[in-house]
Amino acid sequence: ELKVEQNPLFLSMQEGKNYTIYCNYSTTSDRLYWYRQDPGKSLESLFVLLSNGAVKQEGRLMASLDTKARLSTLHITAAVHDLSATYFCAVAPTNKLIFGTGTLLAVQP
Amino acid sequence: NAGVMQNPRHLVRRRGQEARLRCSPMKGHSHVYWYRQLPEEGLKFMVYLQKENIIDESGMPKERFSAEFPKEGPSILRIQQVVRGDSAAYFCASSPLAGGLQDTQYFGPGTRLTVL
């Protein structure tokens, strides 16, 4: 059974600090996605990573992919309150997305 | 270009009633996916459809759930004889391509179903 695991499940961090969310998956996938979800809202696409070693950055978020280790990371730099949300990674070994468990990020002032 | 549209946004049903959830994909998208998010959990794939065809329904419960994407009109997720365990947020996503490396699924706002 394909598994996608994220850790930590919950992250409370102070503004200005850096941290990394990890996403491990158990089968090969040529694509890995990161999504953001605010409470009661839909999912917003953040990054699509397509190849080994891919790195993408948008603002304070940077995502990377290591297909050999089956690991993706989402790094947060100098967190701000606006980044508080739940972050999901997802892989697509076929057409459907298999989501990770999600990481609830709470940035404290 | 309007995004993925879903209606209703909130739906309340009593046990035993039917729920119909609608999804209109983004303009130019011909692939529709339905996902379910139970409280405090991640999204789980239910079904993948193209126009008039069900491509993958491996995530659909065997009973009471059905989906369609007719030639004209929105995709419909239908839940018959709802039970309390069906209470969840149901998200629809659409994409222009299936399996393309640049393909991204764009999500609608979701329908939050509450079964009393």
Coordinates of all heavy atoms in Angstrom, one line a residue, chain A residues 30-31 33 35 37-45 48 50 88 94-102, chain B residues 33 35 37 41-43 45 48 55-56 58 91 98-105 107-110 112:
Chain A
D30 N 6.8 10.4 -10.3 CA 7.5 11.4 -11.0 C 7.1 12.8 -10.7 O 7.6 13.8 -11.3 CB 7.4 11.1 -12.5 CG 6.0 11.1 -13.0 OD1 5.1 11.4 -12.2 OD2 5.7 10.7 -14.2
R31 N 6.2 12.9 -9.8 CA 5.7 14.3 -9.4 C 5.5 14.3 -7.9 O 4.9 13.4 -7.3 CB 4.4 14.6 -10.1 CG 4.6 14.9 -11.6 CD 3.2 14.8 -12.3 NE 2.7 13.5 -12.4 CZ 1.4 13.2 -12.6 NH1 0.5 14.2 -12.7 NH2 1.0 12.0 -12.7
Y33 N 3.8 17.2 -5.1 CA 3.1 18.5 -4.9 C 3.1 18.9 -3.5 O 3.0 18.1 -2.6 CB 1.6 18.4 -5.4 CG 1.4 17.9 -6.8 CD1 1.5 16.6 -7.2 CD2 1.2 18.9 -7.8 CE1 1.3 16.2 -8.5 CE2 1.0 18.5 -9.1 CZ 1.0 17.1 -9.5 OH 0.9 16.7 -10.8
Y35 N 0.7 21.5 -1.1 CA -0.5 22.3 -1.1 C -0.6 23.0 0.3 O -0.1 22.4 1.3 CB -1.8 21.5 -1.3 CG -2.0 21.0 -2.7 CD1 -1.5 19.8 -3.2 CD2 -2.8 21.8 -3.6 CE1 -1.7 19.4 -4.5 CE2 -3.0 21.4 -4.9 CZ -2.5 20.2 -5.3 OH -2.7 19.7 -6.6
Q37 N -3.6 24.6 3.0 CA -5.0 24.7 3.3 C -5.2 25.5 4.5 O -4.7 25.2 5.6 CB -5.6 23.3 3.5 CG -7.1 23.3 3.7 CD -7.8 21.9 3.8 OE1 -7.2 21.0 4.5 NE2 -8.9 21.7 3.3
D38 N -6.0 26.6 4.4 CA -6.4 27.4 5.5 C -7.7 26.8 6.1 O -8.4 26.1 5.4 CB -6.6 28.8 5.1 CG -5.3 29.5 4.8 OD1 -4.5 29.7 5.7 OD2 -5.1 29.8 3.6
P39 N -7.9 27.0 7.4 CA -9.1 26.3 8.0 C -10.4 26.6 7.3 O -10.7 27.8 7.0 CB -9.1 27.0 9.4 CG -7.7 27.4 9.7 CD -7.1 27.8 8.3
G40 N -11.1 25.6 7.0 CA -12.4 25.7 6.3 C -12.3 26.1 4.9 O -13.3 26.4 4.2
K41 N -11.1 26.1 4.3 CA -10.9 26.5 2.9 C -10.5 25.4 2.0 O -10.3 24.2 2.5 CB -9.9 27.6 2.9 CG -10.2 28.8 3.7 CD -11.4 29.6 3.2 CE -11.6 30.8 4.0 NZ -12.8 31.6 3.6
S42 N -10.3 25.7 0.8 CA -9.8 24.7 -0.2 C -8.3 24.6 -0.2 O -7.6 25.2 0.6 CB -10.3 25.0 -1.6 OG -10.0 23.9 -2.5
L43 N -7.8 23.8 -1.1 CA -6.3 23.6 -1.2 C -5.7 24.6 -2.2 O -6.2 24.7 -3.4 CB -6.0 22.2 -1.6 CG -6.0 21.2 -0.4 CD1 -7.4 20.8 -0.1 CD2 -5.2 20.0 -0.8
E44 N -4.7 25.2 -1.9 CA -3.9 26.1 -2.8 C -2.6 25.4 -3.2 O -1.9 25.0 -2.3 CB -3.6 27.4 -2.1 CG -2.8 28.4 -2.9 CD -2.3 29.5 -2.0 OE1 -2.7 29.6 -0.9 OE2 -1.5 30.3 -2.5
S45 N -2.4 25.3 -4.5 CA -1.2 24.7 -5.0 C 0.0 25.6 -4.7 O 0.0 26.8 -5.1 CB -1.3 24.4 -6.5 OG -0.1 23.9 -7.0
V48 N 5.1 22.3 -7.6 CA 5.1 21.0 -8.2 C 6.6 20.7 -8.5 O 7.3 21.5 -9.1 CB 4.4 21.0 -9.6 CG1 4.4 19.7 -10.2 CG2 3.0 21.5 -9.4
L50 N 9.3 18.0 -10.1 CA 9.2 17.1 -11.2 C 10.4 16.2 -11.4 O 10.3 15.2 -12.1 CB 8.9 17.8 -12.5 CG 7.7 18.6 -12.6 CD1 7.6 19.4 -13.9 CD2 6.4 17.7 -12.4
F88 N 0.1 20.2 3.0 CA 0.1 18.8 2.6 C 1.0 18.6 1.4 O 1.1 19.4 0.5 CB -1.3 18.4 2.1 CG -2.4 18.4 3.1 CD1 -3.3 19.5 3.3 CD2 -2.6 17.3 3.9 CE1 -4.3 19.5 4.2 CE2 -3.6 17.2 4.8 CZ -4.5 18.3 5.0
T94 N 0.0 7.5 -10.3 CA -0.8 7.5 -11.4 C -1.5 8.8 -11.5 O -0.9 9.8 -11.1 CB -1.9 6.3 -11.2 OG1 -2.6 6.6 -10.0 CG2 -1.2 5.0 -11.1
N95 N -2.7 8.9 -12.0 CA -3.4 10.2 -12.1 C -3.9 10.8 -10.8 O -4.0 12.0 -10.7 CB -4.5 10.1 -13.1 CG -4.0 9.7 -14.5 OD1 -3.0 10.3 -14.9 ND2 -4.7 8.8 -15.2
K96 N -4.2 9.9 -9.9 CA -4.8 10.4 -8.6 C -3.7 10.9 -7.7 O -2.6 10.4 -7.7 CB -5.6 9.3 -8.0 CG -4.8 8.1 -7.6 CD -5.7 7.0 -7.2 CE -5.0 5.7 -6.9 NZ -5.8 4.5 -6.8
L97 N -4.0 11.8 -6.8 CA -3.1 12.3 -5.8 C -3.3 11.5 -4.6 O -4.4 11.2 -4.1 CB -3.4 13.8 -5.5 CG -3.1 14.8 -6.6 CD1 -3.6 16.2 -6.2 CD2 -1.6 14.8 -6.9
I98 N -2.1 11.1 -4.0 CA -2.1 10.5 -2.7 C -1.5 11.5 -1.7 O -0.3 11.9 -1.8 CB -1.2 9.2 -2.7 CG1 -1.6 8.3 -3.9 CG2 -1.3 8.5 -1.4 CD1 -3.0 7.7 -3.8
F99 N -2.3 11.9 -0.8 CA -1.9 13.0 0.1 C -1.2 12.4 1.4 O -1.5 11.3 1.9 CB -3.1 13.8 0.6 CG -3.6 14.7 -0.5 CD1 -4.5 14.3 -1.5 CD2 -3.1 16.1 -0.5 CE1 -4.9 15.2 -2.4 CE2 -3.5 16.9 -1.5 CZ -4.4 16.5 -2.4
G100 N -0.3 13.3 1.9 CA 0.3 13.0 3.2 C -0.7 13.4 4.3 O -1.8 13.8 4.0
T101 N -0.3 13.1 5.5 CA -1.2 13.3 6.7 C -1.4 14.8 7.0 O -2.3 15.1 7.7 CB -0.5 12.6 7.9 OG1 0.9 13.0 7.9 CG2 -0.7 11.1 7.8
G102 N -0.6 15.6 6.4 CA -0.7 17.1 6.7 C 0.1 17.5 7.9 O 0.3 16.7 8.9
Chain B
Y33 N -11.6 15.0 -10.6 CA -11.3 14.1 -9.5 C -12.1 14.5 -8.3 O -12.3 15.7 -8.0 CB -9.8 14.2 -9.1 CG -8.9 14.1 -10.3 CD1 -8.7 15.2 -11.1 CD2 -8.2 13.0 -10.6 CE1 -7.8 15.2 -12.2 CE2 -7.3 12.9 -11.7 CZ -7.1 14.0 -12.5 OH -6.3 13.9 -13.5
Y35 N -12.3 14.0 -4.1 CA -11.6 13.6 -2.8 C -12.5 13.9 -1.6 O -13.3 14.8 -1.7 CB -10.3 14.5 -2.7 CG -9.3 14.2 -3.8 CD1 -9.3 14.9 -5.0 CD2 -8.2 13.3 -3.6 CE1 -8.4 14.7 -6.0 CE2 -7.3 13.1 -4.6 CZ -7.4 13.8 -5.8 OH -6.4 13.6 -6.8
Q37 N -12.4 14.6 2.6 CA -11.6 14.9 3.8 C -12.4 14.8 5.0 O -13.3 15.6 5.2 CB -11.0 16.3 3.6 CG -10.0 16.7 4.8 CD -9.4 18.1 4.6 OE1 -10.0 19.0 4.1 NE2 -8.2 18.2 5.0
E41 N -8.3 15.0 9.2 CA -7.6 14.1 8.3 C -7.2 14.7 7.0 O -7.6 15.8 6.7 CB -8.4 12.8 8.1 CG -8.7 12.0 9.3 CD -9.3 10.6 9.0 OE1 -9.3 10.2 7.8 OE2 -9.7 9.9 9.9
G42 N -6.3 14.0 6.3 CA -5.9 14.4 5.0 C -7.0 14.0 3.9 O -8.0 13.4 4.2
L43 N -6.7 14.4 2.7 CA -7.7 14.1 1.6 C -7.4 12.7 1.1 O -6.3 12.3 0.9 CB -7.5 15.1 0.5 CG -8.2 16.4 0.6 CD1 -7.3 17.3 1.5 CD2 -8.4 17.1 -0.7
F45 N -8.5 10.1 -2.1 CA -9.0 10.0 -3.4 C -10.2 9.1 -3.5 O -10.3 8.1 -2.8 CB -7.9 9.4 -4.4 CG -8.4 9.0 -5.7 CD1 -8.6 9.9 -6.7 CD2 -8.7 7.6 -5.9 CE1 -9.1 9.5 -7.9 CE2 -9.2 7.2 -7.2 CZ -9.4 8.2 -8.2
Y48 N -12.0 9.3 -10.3 CA -11.4 10.1 -11.4 C -12.3 9.9 -12.6 O -12.5 8.7 -13.0 CB -9.9 9.7 -11.6 CG -9.3 10.1 -13.0 CD1 -9.6 11.3 -13.6 CD2 -8.5 9.2 -13.6 CE1 -9.0 11.7 -14.8 CE2 -7.9 9.6 -14.8 CZ -8.1 10.8 -15.4 OH -7.5 11.1 -16.6
I55 N -12.8 6.7 -15.0 CA -11.5 6.1 -15.3 C -10.9 5.3 -14.1 O -10.3 4.2 -14.3 CB -10.5 7.2 -15.6 CG1 -11.0 8.1 -16.7 CG2 -9.1 6.6 -16.0 CD1 -11.4 7.4 -18.0
D56 N -11.1 5.8 -12.9 CA -10.6 5.1 -11.7 C -11.6 5.4 -10.6 O -11.7 6.5 -10.2 CB -9.2 5.6 -11.4 CG -8.5 4.9 -10.2 OD1 -9.2 4.2 -9.5 OD2 -7.3 5.2 -10.0
S58 N -11.3 3.5 -7.7 CA -10.8 2.6 -6.6 C -11.0 3.2 -5.2 O -10.9 2.4 -4.3 CB -9.3 2.4 -6.9 OG -8.6 3.6 -6.9
F91 N -14.1 17.5 -1.9 CA -13.4 18.4 -2.8 C -13.4 17.8 -4.2 O -13.1 16.6 -4.4 CB -12.0 18.7 -2.3 CG -11.9 19.5 -1.1 CD1 -11.8 18.9 0.1 CD2 -12.0 20.9 -1.2 CE1 -11.7 19.7 1.3 CE2 -11.9 21.7 0.0 CZ -11.8 21.1 1.2
A98 N -4.2 14.4 -18.3 CA -4.1 13.3 -17.4 C -2.6 12.7 -17.5 O -2.2 12.2 -18.5 CB -5.0 12.2 -17.8
G99 N -1.9 12.9 -16.4 CA -0.6 12.2 -16.3 C 0.5 13.1 -16.9 O 1.6 12.7 -16.9
G100 N 0.2 14.2 -17.5 CA 1.3 15.0 -18.0 C 2.2 15.5 -16.9 O 1.7 15.8 -15.8
L101 N 3.4 15.7 -17.2 CA 4.4 16.1 -16.2 C 4.1 17.5 -15.7 O 4.5 17.8 -14.5 CB 5.8 16.0 -16.7 CG 6.4 14.6 -16.9 CD1 7.8 14.6 -17.4 CD2 6.3 13.8 -15.6
Q102 N 3.5 18.3 -16.5 CA 3.2 19.7 -16.0 C 1.8 19.8 -15.4 O 1.4 20.8 -15.0 CB 3.3 20.7 -17.2 CG 4.7 20.7 -17.8 CD 5.8 21.2 -16.8 OE1 5.5 22.0 -15.9 NE2 7.0 20.7 -16.9
D103 N 1.2 18.7 -15.3 CA -0.2 18.7 -14.9 C -0.3 19.0 -13.4 O 0.4 18.4 -12.6 CB -0.8 17.3 -15.2 CG -2.3 17.3 -15.0 OD1 -2.9 18.3 -15.0 OD2 -2.8 16.2 -14.8
T104 N -1.2 19.9 -13.1 CA -1.6 20.2 -11.7 C -3.1 20.1 -11.6 O -3.8 20.5 -12.4 CB -1.1 21.6 -11.3 OG1 0.4 21.6 -11.3 CG2 -1.5 21.9 -9.9
Q105 N -3.5 19.5 -10.5 CA -4.9 19.5 -10.2 C -5.3 20.8 -9.4 O -4.6 21.1 -8.4 CB -5.3 18.3 -9.4 CG -5.1 17.0 -10.2 CD -5.5 15.7 -9.4 OE1 -6.3 15.8 -8.5 NE2 -5.0 14.6 -9.9
F107 N -8.1 22.7 -7.2 CA -9.2 22.3 -6.3 C -10.3 23.4 -6.2 O -10.0 24.6 -6.2 CB -8.7 22.0 -4.9 CG -8.0 20.7 -4.8 CD1 -6.7 20.5 -5.3 CD2 -8.7 19.6 -4.3 CE1 -6.1 19.3 -5.2 CE2 -8.0 18.3 -4.3 CZ -6.7 18.2 -4.7
G108 N -11.5 22.9 -6.1 CA -12.7 23.7 -5.8 C -12.7 24.0 -4.4 O -12.0 23.5 -3.6
P109 N -13.7 24.9 -4.0 CA -13.9 25.3 -2.6 C -14.4 24.2 -1.7 O -14.3 24.4 -0.4 CB -14.8 26.5 -2.7 CG -15.6 26.2 -3.9 CD -14.7 25.5 -4.9
G110 N -14.9 23.1 -2.2 CA -15.4 22.0 -1.4 C -16.9 22.2 -1.0 O -17.5 23.3 -1.0
R112 N -19.2 21.0 2.2 CA -19.2 20.4 3.5 C -20.5 19.8 3.8 O -21.5 20.5 4.0 CB -18.8 21.5 4.5 CG -17.2 21.7 4.5 CD -16.8 23.1 4.8 NE -15.3 23.2 4.7 CZ -14.7 23.5 3.6 NH1 -15.4 23.7 2.5 NH2 -13.4 23.5 3.5

